[in-house]
Amino acid sequence: KAGVTQTPRYLIKTRGQQVTLSCSPISGHRSVSWYQQTPGQGLQFLFEYFSETQRNKGNFPGRFSGRQFSNSRSEMNVSTLELGDSALYLCASSLDAGYQETQYFGPGTRLLVL
Amino acid sequence: GENVEQHPSTLSVQEGDSAVIKCTYSDSASNYFPWYKQELGKRPQLIIDIRSNVGEKKDQRIAVTLNKTAKHFSLHITETQPEDSAVYFCAASRGSGNTGKLIFGQGTTLQVKP
């Protein structure tokens, strides 16, 4: 099976702009989670989508939002970008059925906000 | 709130020695504990995981132990090799039905000197 893919891989934006990142999970996986990775804060959970519904949410401001489509592909959006939003954004998918709990990560989208 | 503490933040060992990384979690409902390895510029990859109904799990040179009473789990790597050098993250979640929300430790940078 193909792994988790993310597009774009790199982005440069300026403060105040908005950005949309995309994640395609492993075929058959229904859960997609998003994480922000920075040197200072490590890996922080943003939100999780399961069957097109947000199932879990982390402690990020409302500028961070997401959605999931019927084919399980997911997008996250960040509005009114701030310098501190510069980070590696990782998505991960899992089957989440029974004990099939492993989350598989994508390569990430590196966002630089200038 | 949910929190995972990971120690040490850096660890340097000689090739062939053992390495131990420790994590403590706060959410008593956590019952799934994966460990990820992230090499520079790459995505996190699962190396081993354990569920709360098991106290120890081993896979070749890697083992994980769990003490639910103390809310403590550890990664043990024996006979370390230079290719084990990477950042290691522990994580905790509430398991099936909630596997999408992983709370990560801050990471341990392991350096194995030849």
Side-chain angles (χ1 to χ4, degrees), chain A residues 61-103:
Chain A
R63 300 184 298 106
F64 293 82
S65 62
R67 59 178 175 169
Q68 187 179 35
F69 302 95
S70 58
N71 62 357
S72 292
R73 189 178 70 85
S74 178
E75 289 182 347
M76 68 164 280
N77 184 77
V78 188
S79 62
T80 320
L81 284 166
E82 301 177 359
L83 295 179
D85 296 334
S86 294
L88 180 66
Y89 290 89
L90 292 159
C91 78
S93 75
S94 73
L95 189 59
D96 195 16
Y99 286 128
Q100 303 299 316
E101 299 157 300
T102 302
Q103 282 196 36

Side-chain angles (χ1 to χ4, degrees), chain A residues 3-5 9 31 33 35 37 40-45 47-48 55-58 88 90 94 96-107, chain B residues 1-2 31-32 34 36 38 41-46 49-51 53 87 89-90 93-107:
Chain A
V4 179
T5 59
R9 294 292 313 277
S31 168
S33 299
Y35 298 87
Q37 185 172 27
Q41 299 298 317
L43 276 158
Q44 292 189 287
F45 172 76
F47 30 66
E48 180 215 2
R55 187 163 68 173
N56 283 294
K57 190 178 187 306
L88 180 66
L90 292 159
S94 73
D96 195 16
Y99 286 128
Q100 303 299 316
E101 299 157 300
T102 302
Q103 282 196 36
Y104 298 89
F105 281 85
Chain B
E2 300 147 317
N31 60 15
Y32 174 64
Y36 285 86
Q38 187 176 29
K42 297 195 174 180
R43 70 188 77 188
Q45 296 213 307
L46 180 80
D49 56 12
I50 192 168
R51 294 177 180 84
N53 57 348
V87 180
F89 293 95
C90 63
S93 84
R94 292 185 174 186
S96 185
N98 271 292
T99 56
K101 185 176 182 180
L102 285 175
I103 306 300
F104 282 90
Q106 287 294 91

